[in-house]
Amino acid sequence: MLIQRGIQRCMTNAELHVAPDRFEISSGEALLVAELRSAIAVCVYDADEEAGALLHLRCIVRHSKPADVTDTTLATELLLLHRCLESLRESAPAARRLQARIVVHLVDTPQVNPACVIKLVRHYLEDAGVQVLPEDIAAGPARTLRFRPAMGWVHTRA
């Protein structure tokens, strides 16, 4: 979003907070932000077109049995990823060189293993023609993710 002041143009630092199991699309200078608590974030962008999307997926912990990933869970996450990519392609049709970063926060519970979901997301993105960069996986305190799609800039901190 640009604000005109005299002959100078100033950027406003719009921040869009992305809730769990949601995604946001951005073109321009908006900053997409998510608080990762046992979650997977998929940052997809085309730096040439200055457009991108942030998908925030929760890793659900089930204490009654080991955290096996069910077909329903995987299908739901893939559907959300599909909608995210389609929405990005609709809002930026000239985006032809999509890249993605997968950022993961793990809780300190040995029952939780999102490796299956990460692998599935990676393969889906690759099949959709998206270049997937190395994953960023960390455990410990919750992570704040800040993503500027216009530049392909991804920053996390605990």
Side-chain angles (χ1 to χ4, degrees):
M1 178 181 295
L2 294 172
I3 296 176
Q4 206 62 29
R5 286 195 186 145
I7 59 172
Q8 295 182 349
R9 298 168 79 184
C10 299
M11 300 302 292
T12 61
N13 289 333
E15 283 191 6
L16 297 173
H17 291 270
V18 183
D21 298 324
R22 302 271 187 239
F23 66 87
E24 290 289 341
I25 307 291
S26 172
S27 59
E29 289 298 318
L31 188 65
L32 302 176
V33 180
E35 187 75 22
L36 303 181
R37 296 178 188 276
S38 186
I40 297 172
V42 181
C43 303
V44 183
Y45 62 94
D46 183 315
D48 293 339
E49 291 301 314
E50 297 186 356
L54 172 60
L55 170 63
H56 183 180
L57 299 170
R58 288 180 293 176
C59 297
I60 299 170
V61 179
R62 293 185 178 91
H63 294 289
S64 60
K65 63 178 185 170
D68 294 328
V69 179
T70 66
D71 289 342
T72 304
T73 302
L74 293 176
T76 302
E77 290 172 348
L78 280 183
L79 180 60
L80 199 53
L81 179 57
H82 175 76
R83 286 182 182 159
C84 178
L85 285 177
E86 288 302 309
S87 295
L88 176 57
R89 287 183 171 134
E90 286 174 11
S91 69
R96 301 276 187 253
R97 297 175 51 208
L98 293 177
Q99 296 181 2
R101 292 285 314 267
I102 300 170
V103 180
V104 181
H105 172 259
L106 304 172
V107 294
D108 294 325
T109 307
Q111 291 177 318
V112 178
N113 184 4
C116 179
V117 177
I118 295 168
K119 185 184 250 186
L120 187 67
V121 167
R122 173 177 270 285
H123 286 298
Y124 184 87
L125 290 167
E126 289 170 347
D127 288 347
V130 178
Q131 178 188 0
V132 183
L133 303 172
E135 293 101 1
D136 175 357
I137 302 171
R143 303 175 78 188
T144 300
L145 173 103
R146 301 172 77 76
F147 173 46
R148 187 176 308 276
M151 300 168 49
W153 178 83
V154 177
H155 182 264
T156 58
R157 66 181 164 86

